[in-house]
């Protein structure tokens, strides 16, 4: 029996991981900023399996919130971070508000660093971050997200040395059909159809594709300081 803390577990890829774990009878704690969203996710997870489901409200960009996740004597086996808010972050750099860039970096990069800082000594097996394809395929409108995602690879390898024998890795997803796309001002169906034709995998990802990659990194005890690309071949499309 394992316990996994999933920061971002109320939606998308984090929720898919929680779903896979509770279906196997494993315990999860899902974390997000919105309590209603957490409660709805918990109810759905409790119907999906026998694992215990807990919820905790926290903003990964706030140090006091992250410290609170790891307060007390409790240890967890695995921590997975999927949290990100893409609202307003895409577009040409010259037109992007600096406050928007800072809040993206606060959550996506510094938030991951805060997790490394406060999880040390409280996580026993693995810590996994989530980056993304735009670190490897910049397109002129995703530069700040690309920078945050690219830096997560270096953060993970540094923490893998510091936190050893706890293993620290990154999953880099390609395009995956999750609610994060609702934050973007675009026709996602048309964009997905267009990309799917060009991808070597000939389809867009589903959340469980990424959940299975998290599970592989959590369970393979010889993988650390690694970026696992789960992108349908998007880097080469
Ligand atoms: N979907 C894709 O195509 C894609 C592609 C490449 C990379 N990624 C990356 O994959 C990760 C997961 O994305 P997803 O598509 O699963 O997104 P999602 O469905 O929008 O889920 C994001 C989750 O993170 C939580 N969250 C957001 N900001 C947070 C914060 N500051 N503190 C704590 N929790 C926060 C959200 O809950 P609340 O809003 O309630 O806080 C939600 O549970 C992200 O890092 C994203 O950048 C996604």
């Amino acid at each position: 029996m394992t316990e996994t803390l999933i920061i971002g577990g109320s939606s998308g890829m984090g929720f898919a991981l929680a779903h896979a774990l509770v279906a196997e009878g494993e315990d999860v704690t899902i974390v997000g900023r919105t309590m209603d969203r957490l409660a709805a996710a918990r109810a759905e997870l409790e119907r999906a399996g026998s694992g215990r489901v807990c919820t905790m409200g926290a903003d990964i960009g706030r140090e006091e919130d992250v410290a609170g996740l790891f307060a007390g004597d409790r240890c967890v086996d695995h921590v997975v971070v999927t949290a990100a808010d893409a609202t307003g972050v895409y577009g040409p750099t010259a037109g992007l508000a600096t406050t928007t860039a800072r809040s993206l970096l606060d959550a996506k990069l510094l938030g991951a660093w805060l997790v490394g800082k406060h999880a040390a000594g409280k996580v026993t097996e693995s810590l996994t971050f989530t980056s993304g394809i735009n670190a490897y395929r910049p397109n002129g409108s995703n530069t700040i997200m690309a920078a945050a995602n690219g830096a997560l690879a270096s953060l993970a390898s540094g923490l893998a040395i510091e936190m050893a024998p706890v293993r620290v890795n990154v999953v880099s997803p390609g395009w995956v059909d999750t609610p994060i796309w609702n934050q973007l001002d675009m026709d996602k169906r048309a964009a997905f159809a267009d990309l799917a034709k060009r991808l070597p995998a000939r389809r867009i990802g589903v959340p469980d594709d990424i959940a299975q990659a998290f599970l592989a990194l959590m369970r393979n005890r010889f993988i650390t300081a690694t970026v696992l690309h789960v992108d349908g071949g998007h880097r080469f499309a």
Side-chain angles (χ1 to χ4, degrees):
M1 187 80 80
T2 62
E3 161 110 33
T4 302
L5 181 75
I6 307 170
I7 305 174
S10 63
S11 178
M13 303 169 194
F15 179 79
L17 174 63
H19 196 281
L21 286 165
V22 296
E24 292 182 15
E26 307 288 0
D27 296 341
V28 299
T29 298
I30 57 172
V31 179
R33 296 166 301 179
T34 317
M35 296 313 290
D36 288 354
R37 208 174 181 190
L38 285 167
R42 178 183 181 167
E44 198 173 334
L45 291 171
E46 284 176 341
R47 288 191 294 273
S50 59
R52 187 168 48 86
V53 183
C54 296
T55 60
M56 291 177 85
D59 182 336
I60 195 173
R62 295 165 55 95
E63 182 156 18
E64 59 271 36
D65 287 12
V66 177
L69 296 176
F70 299 100
D73 298 333
R74 190 176 74 115
C75 283
V76 293
D77 301 285
H78 305 280
V79 176
V80 176
V81 181
T82 62
D85 187 337
T87 309
V89 302
Y90 294 112
T93 297
L96 204 68
T98 306
T99 48
T100 304
R102 271 195 216 288
S103 81
L104 184 269
L105 292 173
D106 272 348
K108 184 110 204 203
L109 179 57
L110 205 55
W113 178 82
L114 287 171
V115 172
K117 177 176 176 182
H118 291 283
K122 299 293 176 68
V123 56
T124 59
E125 290 286 333
S126 76
L127 168 56
T128 307
F129 299 127
T130 312
S131 65
I133 180 62
N134 48 30
Y136 306 92
R137 287 293 301 270
N139 66 12
S141 70
N142 60 13
T143 302
I144 192 66
M145 186 64 106
N149 282 336
L152 285 171
S154 303
L155 177 69
S157 39
L159 288 174
I161 302 299
E162 285 195 62
M163 295 174 72
V166 173
R167 296 171 296 100
V168 186
N169 293 297
V170 179
V171 170
S172 177
W175 286 18
V176 179
D177 189 0
T178 72
I180 206 168
W181 286 88
N182 302 337
Q183 298 166 2
L184 311 182
D185 185 20
M186 65 187 290
D187 177 353
K188 87 170 178 180
R189 291 290 147 214
F192 283 177
D194 177 56
L195 181 67
K197 278 187 266 173
R198 291 183 284 119
L199 283 182
R202 297 286 189 273
R203 70 172 176 86
I204 296 300
V206 295
D208 190 59
D209 293 326
I210 310 304
Q212 296 305 320
F214 289 133
L215 288 173
L217 294 180
M218 289 161 60
R219 291 172 175 173
N220 188 318
R221 300 182 78 185
F222 205 50
I223 304 180
T224 193
T226 288
V227 178
L228 178 57
H229 297 276
V230 189
D231 60 11
H234 194 157
R235 281 162 301 139
F236 307 102

